[in-house]
Amino acid sequence: NLFIGAGFSVLAKNKFDEYLKLASEIKSDIITEFDLDRYKEKPLSTIASHLNKTKQGEFYHFLKEKYKIFNFPKEYASISKLPLKNIFTTNIDDLIECIFKEPFYGKYIDDVEVVGRTESPGISLFKFHGSISYTYDKKLIFSTEEIATTILKDPALLYSIATKIISIPTLF
């Protein structure tokens, strides 16, 4: 297993030739983009919750623009050489999908949100916060409480994740 999160994608770039930002760093961009100065002292999860209620389409479009991978260093491809069964991520970008898009790696990703929980020869991908690659009807999650609630609502998912983490060594 590979468990990746904040910091993993910071050397990848979006179409604006900007390095991907950590969630804590993009907060100021969101505040500027959506004219939310009054939320400056609030956590990102509160700002995201507000935008999900008031401007969800625009908010998701903004995140898709900022977190869609356009270019990444070739060193990222080295993870395709690992004998992975599962990848767990808290990132909303599509870097993992981009890395495994190249057919010459001989491996492929099965995003459990898209294909379901199957025992396939592919590498199962669990995106805890959601993904910019999902359709707009799939919610992006920004708080630990929302993640916990989502997983606890689906006991089969909780069991699946727990079993995979317990039964296979996990690199964090």
Side-chain angles (χ1 to χ4, degrees):
N1 296 323
L2 180 63
F3 196 112
I4 57 176
F8 181 78
S9 304
V10 295
L11 296 178
K13 291 185 175 183
N14 62 24
K15 73 178 184 178
F16 306 109
D17 201 37
E18 301 168 331
Y19 288 106
L20 267 61
K21 295 181 178 180
L22 298 173
S24 60
E25 296 170 331
I26 200 161
K27 178 181 153 183
S28 62
D29 289 352
I30 293 169
I31 289 170
T32 301
E33 178 74 17
F34 294 97
D35 194 26
L36 296 172
D37 287 335
R38 66 189 181 277
Y39 283 85
K40 204 179 333 189
E41 302 303 320
K42 303 285 185 189
L44 178 59
S45 59
T46 301
I47 297 168
S49 178
H50 169 72
L51 289 171
N52 275 326
K53 292 174 188 164
T54 60
K55 297 182 178 185
Q56 184 178 15
E58 296 156 79
F59 180 45
Y60 281 23
H61 179 75
F62 173 81
L63 293 173
K64 286 177 185 266
E65 292 282 307
K66 292 291 187 175
Y67 283 97
K68 175 133 186 69
I69 302 299
F70 186 74
N71 192 2
F72 60 93
K74 66 181 184 332
E75 289 81 8
Y76 277 111
S78 63
I79 70 165
S80 68
K81 297 174 184 162
L82 297 173
L84 297 172
K85 299 285 186 200
N86 306 288
I87 297 175
F88 304 97
T89 181
T90 59
N91 296 340
I92 64 169
D93 62 64
D94 62 343
L95 180 57
I96 293 296
E97 294 94 320
C98 290
I99 291 168
F100 286 93
K101 189 184 304 182
E102 300 299 324
F104 55 88
Y105 294 139
K107 296 179 183 176
Y108 62 93
I109 293 293
D110 280 329
D111 188 325
V112 297
E113 181 66 30
V114 177
V115 301
R117 291 179 295 279
T118 62
E119 294 301 323
S120 75
I123 300 167
S124 294
L125 176 61
F126 294 83
K127 296 190 101 172
F128 294 131
H129 284 280
S131 177
I132 56 95
S133 60
Y134 297 164
T135 56
Y136 281 96
D137 62 322
K138 304 277 187 197
K139 189 175 178 189
L140 293 173
I141 300 171
F142 290 92
S143 75
T144 53
E145 293 83 10
E146 287 178 302
I147 292 174
T149 300
T150 301
I151 293 173
L152 290 174
K153 280 184 186 175
D154 186 350
L157 177 61
L158 177 61
Y159 177 79
S160 176
I161 292 169
T163 301
K164 291 173 185 311
I165 288 178
I166 290 169
S167 64
I168 301 170
T170 302
L171 177 63
F172 287 87

